[in-house]
Amino acid sequence: MSRKILGRSVQTLLLSVGAAFILLPFVWMLSLSVKPRDEIFTTDVHFLPSRFEWSNFTFALTETDIPLFLWNGLVMVAGILVFQILFAVPCAYALAQRQFAGRSLVFGLVLGALLVPFHVTAIPIFLGFAQIGLLNTFWALIIPFIPTAFGIFLFRQFFAQLPSDLFDAARVDGMSETSIVWRIAFPLALPAATAFAIFSVTAHWNDLFWPLIATTDPGLATPPRGILYFRDQESGDNVGPLMAAAVITTAPLVIAFLLAQRKFIQGIASGGLKG
Amino acid sequence: MRLSPDQRSALTSLWLAGPATLAMVVFIFLPVAIVAVLSFTDYQFGASSFNWSGLDNYIKLFTSSIGQRAITNTLLYVAIVIPFSVGFGLFVAIGLHQMSTWAPRLSNVMKTVYFLPVAATLVAMSVAWQMVLHPSLGIVNQSLAALGAAPQNWLSDRGLVLYTLAMIGIWQSIGYNMVLFLAGLAAIPSDLYDAAEVDGAGSGWSRFWTVTWPMLGPTTLFVMVVTATNAFRVFETVATMTKGGPAFASDTLVYALYREGFVYFKAGYASAITMVFFVFLLVLTLLQFRVVEKKVHYR
Amino acid sequence: MSNILELRDVTRVFGDRTVLDRVSISIRQGSFTTLLGASGCGKSTSLRIMAGLDRPSGGDVLLDGKTVSGLTAYERNVAMVFQSYALYPHLTVAQNIALPLTMRHLSTLGRVPVLGSLVPGASEARRMILAKVGETAEALGLGELLDRKPGQLSGGQKQRVALGRALVRDPSLFLLDEPLSNLDARLRVRMRSEISALHRRTGKAFIYVTHDQTEAMAMADQIVVMIGGKVAQAGAPRELYERPANRDVAAFVGHNAINFLEQGDGIEIGNSVAGLRPEDLSPDTAGTLSARLESAEYLGSEIVLGLRSAKGTEIRAIAPGDYAVPAPGSELRLGFSPRKLHLFDATTGARLETAA
Ligand SMILES: Nc1ncnc2c1ncn2[C@@H]1O[C@H](COP(=O)(O)OP(=O)(O)OP(=O)(O)O)[C@@H](O)[C@H]1O
Ligand SMILES: [Mg+2]
């Protein structure tokens, strides 16, 4: 009996040490974001500040472009998600529930595209966008992510499970294929769509690679890009506001995650199938 | 003119599947072809012409010390991250899985904690790590000093920086691997444990070696490959914290491709780096597909 | 009476498999036709071709005497009920039933929830739809269930909703694909009579697919027996039972599996095969057939006897419920009326008309 208790204690202790390691940067970030300046620039170890200094947050929210970055991030992830769904869902439906010449070719393309990480396509897309003057626009941030092989694949698998009778019934009832897609297939695929949305939003909100390449205008910076602008401007003096900014950019997704953990974990883990 | 039903049906399919297919061709397949071609040229962004340069770019990548650096750094980074991230992920998953039987709430809270880095914005967290590891103001060095140990330049010491980055890579991916392992554990039928108990393999280690580990085998393979593919793409932490420095000590393939391509505008050379990166990943991804297939057959 | 629907030499080929081979079927206005056949014989394919959900590789489909090969399912104005019900899981019962009407009577804009009410005529159309849905639901006993989702309904209720969705729009023709096969036996019998009643009430032609010959016999005024993608025989139930066109039809139609006897089984039929239904064969001391008793199943009103002829052919016969069954192994004499004997060609299986 006591061996069991000992075992559990050791286990809990080890897991707690690990959790503390995981939490370390979060805690330090929060701690610095509410510390007054003089307490940041000290060499003693303090997790808690002597007094909470909210001015760091006020500064980050009013004196810097952080709100603009958040807005840009929101516009970008929303734009990407809407267009991804607009393109992927009809294609997935056609692949799953319609016969047409070239269907296996299209599905082959989807599987092939799954193998291509975005980084590989960056140079030619950059070249093309430079050519047509699309760099430094919102479209430059959105367009390259519209073809989502992963999304098509995910929705196709879902639609393929639905009985084809359902769609035949809709045809007999007088629905066009387009309205079948949006009025029958898509509403039924809402669980898959949620998982996909979480996956897509997290991936693009957090992405630095493409925003770094496609935009040089700070007015178009997404949160990760914006934080770097902010940090590089302040040249290391303004740690408190910088940490506040980091907290603010991380907060939306972390709060969303805390509110909908199961869905979140499901959504992000579903990306494991993707290359 | 009225179209025949077959024609109408074909047009409908085109309308549904065409846009996405076209987008895939334009934004995925065409770029891959272009990148492959560019990698054999000396093209520079903005230049009006280019020359064929054969394998020069590849030769440069594999023979120059900077190019070799990027490759070996990436491989070393992946080699460190895989065992630790997968090992800790497995350890945490088993711990939390067991804990969920006697302390479900604590187990759930811990699961949330471990997953937190996966959801958090990596660039923001890198900025936070920078402060944690700050030479003078960081908690790590402050603690070392308090313990009387020598402080370290975690991010600017050439011998240390890659390991620091790998540590952060591990920090970031444990939660993801834990989730995959938890799913694997949940799929193990509990009567297998009962059978092990009857066979006298009921406690701790023997339970693990007779039931858990063999049943998790395919999951583990899968997790390893996923971890590897993600580690190969390491970019955000490098770009935020070290920019490949000091002296290319933390340069990686994706960062090199970014720097050569988009800072120095050497499109041809950057394309060659891209192709090498792509081939590495292709091999891994094909491996992953085989593993996924295996995993399915195992069930 | 004229034909509402006609298939003329319809062929359907999937890849290199001919699933329908020159199928011709005529459906009279207001009739109840069943397509009867074993699984995989092409019943659903025929129905889908009639509905316009699938197109024939060859041949012609005529609705009301006009070729409809260019028309979609919707334009043909047929209603279809599916084996799996095919209710929209995310819509309520009311919305499920209303859907064909909203597609017909409301423009795209009018279908938008709030905005739609601003479209001229949309609110009258909505009222009309609501009224029709209410009427249909009442008629099918679904009044209480209008706000439920299909997931909350029993099999029988789902089936009723599927029927409601077909009824509500006043189609020219009803197509039903094994609508009762997912229900338990009791419910099946009840729904059977409800569907028959519906048929009488609407006066429209029903085409009903089933692989259950009892269902076909009980409901239809025309049965089309399909075997291996071909129409083996079409006719009234009685005609099929009394004059099966070939061996296979004889084997398919009838509650008790028919006996096939050959020369040497105690009858003189030369080089052909005789079909004799168990219900037409019973113990009779003056009978001409003789066989050894192997088993007896007592069913109350009758007893099914399993016997074997000297040649080894299995024979089933039916004795009245009060028959005293002899011990197994006894030789029994069996009698039948020659009028009930069906003769088939031994090689082609086609019916041979006896001179008598
Ligand atoms: N889309 C298709 N592609 C290829 N073969 C098909 C297709 N649809 C049907 N078939 C084949 O055609 C044959 C007839 O199918 P059908 O669905 O018409 O049979 P059925 O008589 O309705 O059978 P059941 O009683 O099982 O429903 C089957 O062998 C089936 O495999
Ligand atoms: Mg069928």
Side-chain angles (χ1 to χ4, degrees), chain B residues 2-9, chain C residues 55-56 68-72 75:
Chain B
R2 196 175 160 84
L3 296 170
S4 82
D6 285 321
Q7 286 168 322
R8 270 191 287 169
S9 160
Chain C
R55 277 186 301 282
V68 289
S69 51
L71 298 187
T72 62
E75 290 162 342

Side-chain angles (χ1 to χ4, degrees), chain C residues 282-290 323 326 331-336:
Chain C
S282 52
D284 177 359
T285 44
T288 51
L289 263 173
S290 119
Y323 176 67
E331 284 289 324
L332 283 187
R333 295 207 78 78
L334 303 164
F336 61 92

Side-chain angles (χ1 to χ4, degrees), chain C:
Chain C
M1 257 196 281
S2 61
N3 284 336
I4 174 81
L5 180 86
E6 230 185 304
L7 296 191
R8 281 195 194 150
D9 284 332
V10 164
T11 298
R12 181 67 171 103
V13 182
F14 287 115
D16 54 3
R17 283 190 52 206
T18 305
V19 167
L20 294 183
D21 186 6
R22 276 172 293 126
V23 168
S24 298
I25 299 174
S26 306
I27 311 288
R28 270 174 299 111
Q29 194 82 259
S31 68
F32 195 117
T33 303
T34 60
L35 295 188
L36 176 65
S39 186
C41 71
K43 306 180 298 286
S44 295
T45 308
S46 311
L47 208 64
R48 288 169 50 82
I49 286 176
M50 294 175 188
L53 290 168
D54 194 2
R55 277 186 301 282
S57 318
D60 227 349
V61 182
L62 291 91
L63 242 159
D64 245 343
K66 288 184 285 287
T67 295
V68 289
S69 51
L71 298 187
T72 62
Y74 172 66
E75 290 162 342
R76 294 182 191 188
N77 192 25
V78 297
M80 189 149 170
V81 175
F82 295 84
Q83 182 171 356
S84 60
Y85 317 131
L87 302 179
Y88 310 115
H90 59 301
L91 302 180
T92 63
V93 168
Q95 289 167 326
N96 262 285
I97 298 179
L99 197 110
L101 293 178
T102 48
M103 296 315 295
R104 184 153 301 207
H105 297 289
L106 288 178
S107 62
T108 313
L109 201 58
R111 275 180 244 138
V112 179
V114 181
L115 206 65
S117 50
L118 303 175
V119 176
S123 59
E124 289 99 277
R126 259 171 211 288
R127 256 198 300 283
M128 182 278 287
I129 290 171
L130 219 61
K132 273 206 99 158
V133 169
E135 238 172 74
T136 310
E138 257 350 292
L140 289 165
L142 291 169
E144 311 287 300
L145 307 174
L146 282 175
D147 292 326
R148 296 225 200 141
K149 295 264 171 81
Q152 302 162 297
L153 300 178
S154 71
Q157 290 167 334
K158 281 187 203 163
Q159 191 54 66
R160 269 188 206 134
V161 177
L163 284 171
R165 197 171 57 184
L167 273 176
V168 75
R169 39 188 271 224
D170 200 15
S172 59
L173 185 66
F174 286 83
L175 305 172
L176 303 96
D177 192 352
E178 307 201 25
L180 304 185
S181 62
N182 283 340
L183 303 180
D184 64 52
R186 284 170 73 104
L187 202 52
R188 199 143 64 200
V189 174
R190 210 172 97 209
M191 289 303 290
R192 206 154 84 186
S193 50
E194 282 190 33
I195 291 179
S196 293
L198 226 56
H199 171 240
R200 281 191 299 276
R201 216 182 65 210
T202 57
K204 297 282 162 61
F206 274 47
I207 302 174
Y208 184 105
V209 164
T210 180
H211 57 246
D212 177 350
Q213 65 90 29
T214 322
E215 225 166 79
M217 299 289 270
M219 301 171 88
D221 36 57
Q222 177 186 223
I223 296 180
V224 178
V225 179
M226 294 187 63
I227 291 169
K230 292 188 180 149
V231 172
Q233 188 174 4
R238 170 162 240 143
E239 192 183 330
L240 261 66
Y241 180 78
E242 291 179 351
R243 300 177 55 81
N246 61 41
R247 244 188 105 135
D248 295 324
V249 175
F252 211 87
V253 174
H255 179 65
N256 296 304
I258 195 167
N259 297 307
F260 288 112
L261 306 174
E262 291 166 16
Q263 176 73 19
D265 276 328
I267 44 175
E268 283 304 316
I269 45 176
N271 188 25
S272 59
V273 176
L276 193 51
R277 300 192 184 277
E279 56 267 37
D280 295 333
L281 189 62
S282 52
D284 177 359
T285 44
T288 51
L289 263 173
S290 119
R292 193 153 32 85
L293 183 67
E294 292 193 331
S295 66
E297 285 171 24
Y298 179 69
L299 298 179
S301 62
E302 59 188 34
I303 302 172
V304 180
L305 304 175
L307 308 108
R308 200 171 284 278
S309 76
K311 213 182 147 196
T313 312
E314 248 184 78
I315 300 175
R316 286 153 71 81
I318 291 189
D322 55 5
Y323 176 67
V325 182
S330 338
E331 284 289 324
L332 283 187
R333 295 207 78 78
L334 303 164
F336 61 92
S337 144
R339 278 191 308 117
K340 304 280 183 174
L341 201 62
H342 310 276
L343 287 183
F344 303 106
D345 188 287
T347 42
T348 63
R351 181 179 186 86
L352 300 172
E353 292 302 336
T354 42

